[in-house]
Amino acid sequence: MVDTLGLLLAVVVHSAVIQNRVGAKIVLIRLFGQFEGVQAVLLDSGYRGKLFSWKKTMFGWLLAVVVSESIGPP
């Protein structure tokens, strides 16, 4: 996970059998343990679903999905 400047905040390496949405929970737990002042987390659209309600229950953070427009090949 990185901050808005792209600086590394938390890293978790897991096996390929763990889906990204499950791995995201591990990263968010690690982030919460290291940075209690986090107020919002921005994710790409692959992280929609149960992660939203789980995050709110666990941490009370604002969680927003950022959808980027496809630019296409150069």
Side-chain angles (χ1 to χ4, degrees), residues 12-55:
V12 173
V13 178
H14 55 77
S15 68
V17 299
I18 297 176
Q19 292 184 356
N20 287 343
R21 283 172 281 192
V22 175
K25 289 183 178 182
I26 300 167
V27 173
L28 292 173
I29 290 169
R30 178 164 292 175
L31 181 70
F32 181 75
Q34 294 176 346
F35 300 96
E36 295 179 14
V38 172
Q39 296 178 1
V41 176
L42 305 176
L43 304 170
D44 71 27
S45 59
Y47 294 97
R48 292 182 179 164
K50 294 180 181 179
L51 185 64
F52 276 80
S53 59
W54 176 84
K55 177 274 321 159

